[in-house]
Amino acid sequence: MKIEVCDLNKSYISRTKTTHALAQVSFSVGEGEILCILGHNGAGKTTLIKSICGLLKPDSGDVRIDGISAVQDTAYAHRKCGAVLEGSRNIYYYLTAYENLQYFGMLNGLSQKQIRADAGRYLELFDLAAFRDVPANSFSRGMQQKLAITVALMKRPEILLLDEPTLGLDILSSESVIRLLLELARDKKLSILITTHDVHLIEQLNCRLIFLNQGKIRCDSSLAELKQEARNPRYRIAWQTGTEPLPEDAQIRQRQNDILLFETEDASWLGGHIAAPQLVQIEKCSQSVAEIYKEVMGCV
Amino acid sequence: MSNALRLLRAECLRVFGDVKNYWLNYLLGNINVFFMFFGLFFAFSKNQGTSVDKLLFLFGLMYWYFGTHAIDLVSLLMEEEIQQGTLEQLLMTRVPLAVSFGFRIAAQILFDLCKGLLVFGLCMWAFGIEFALAANLRFLLSAAVFFWGLAAMYGAGYIVAGFSLVYKQASSLASLSSSLILFFSGTTIEISAFPPAVRLVIQCFPFYWSNQAIGQILRGQTDSLALCLCMLALEFVLWLGGGVWMFHRCLDRIYRSGTTASY
């Protein structure tokens, strides 16, 4: 395993209260695996990310990268991880895009030739090539975020930690980030950990999900498995209207002439009407990420 | 060696990127330094001394200006990193923070040297110091001792920078050093004028030994030069070593408190 998180605990103590940010958190991430960490605000996602990259020391437990403790050897964790942390700018605003990449590239031991090659590739990929020599302070929020991701990639990390990577990105930029992440995991075998609230990103990555609630893991499963295991499957039904009453939870989506399109979770009603002549079509709906999230977190 | 050069180049890129944006501030700042030195020169009646006395006074002023700068620079850089939100990205690079700041200081010294040469030359002309004094080995040795003493002051800078990782606006501590160096380094007031206890405290700072050594080199009186240089070497190690140690202690503290992105 590339990353092993073992019984991680972290509390923040202030004069008035103690907040348990992480409680007995354990999981592992393989090489080339993408893992999305979901949770409400303050669930402990950023604390977890920072513990993995060695920016935060846990109260107890360990994070091992290639078997080496990131808690004991923070420099090793810093070397292996590239990170874009939410709330930080991650780039120097008064330097140009290329100067930022050059600066961080040099600090990460890259030669000028390597910097030129990587910078050229990523600036092109994120449509920033035309803004190569423009100071980052004149960039839009999305452009700055793309540059921050590029800076994290410039160190050629083995682990990529992204805290809200698509925040502020337009649809096309978001798509290019998704494509890049899939490519990095598949071709470069990068282990990627993402915290996000972007359901579109999660759907597109179709990866393993960890749901974090009040510092504890509520669920650790792949999106595909979660969709299959959905506790209350939902059905989309095309129904020829008549006198027959609809299920109580029916959500009407469309009405065309005498055909009604509605959704229901009432399996017993469906069982009783499966042979009914009014039933034109039946289809099992796939649960959305938001619905799965609410179900796992107990918000329904 | 190539790694060190690469790091120095990276930091020069950053420092000169800053200059590019704030060049007017730097230009007016230099003119201000010249007027300040010029005023102090007459305020302390140094115009009546010999050329060597004037040169010593100029070295003292330069030490005051750059020494104060040495103490507050690292903490200001640190506060700037925290405010800009780039500290975490810097911590994540393959270079330890104390080392990358070391190279940033080196880049800043190179930049200050360019600034300093301009102000120094202008002051030599305005103070009526013979330019021949700056063209011999004694002057070069004095300059070397000056930078050695200055480097030791960066140790104090690391201590304040460590505090600024933990406490907001800790760089204000550095402002204390301004009066301390101006009045207690022997530049404006003779050290012998102070009570013995104060003299003892002054000797705990590298600027005392640096100024004493420069005075002896320029005057050609080398009777206690060896002692001055030994004490300077000892204080260099203590201040710089202690500074980097304290910096790491503070860094460890913010790793535990999880406040790498804030105070």
Side-chain angles (χ1 to χ4, degrees), chain A residues 3-9 23-28 48 52 58-65 71:
Chain A
I3 307 167
E4 288 166 276
V5 177
C6 316
D7 299 326
L8 215 58
N9 286 291
Q24 296 294 114
V25 171
S26 297
F27 64 92
S28 53
L48 182 57
I52 293 169
D59 298 335
S60 65
D62 202 3
V63 175
R64 283 195 283 273
I65 297 173
V71 179

Side-chain angles (χ1 to χ4, degrees), chain A residues 10 50 54-57 78 81 83 85 88-92 94 99 103 106-110 155, chain B residues 6-7 10-11 13-14 20-21 81 84-86 88-89 91-95 104 252 255-256 258:
Chain A
K10 181 72 193 175
K50 286 190 178 181
L55 283 177
L56 193 145
K57 286 201 172 170
H78 292 167
C81 301
L85 299 161
S88 288
R89 280 189 191 168
N90 300 292
I91 50 169
Y92 289 102
Y94 54 83
E99 281 171 346
Y103 177 67
M106 283 194 273
L107 283 191
N108 285 310
L110 266 63
K155 73 189 285 191
Chain B
R6 195 181 57 240
L7 289 173
E11 295 304 338
L13 176 89
R14 211 200 66 88
K20 215 165 51 184
N21 284 303
E81 290 292 336
Q84 284 184 146
T86 41
E88 288 183 325
Q89 203 56 254
L91 283 166
M92 291 284 296
T93 63
R94 288 167 203 255
V95 185
R104 193 171 292 188
D252 192 57
Y255 277 146
R256 286 184 194 285

Side-chain angles (χ1 to χ4, degrees), chain A residues 12 19-22 39-47 197 212-215:
Chain A
Y12 296 112
T19 310
H20 300 287
L22 295 175
H40 304 326
N41 296 329
K45 303 185 295 291
T46 303
T47 300
H197 297 285
L212 212 56
N213 192 13
Q214 292 180 326

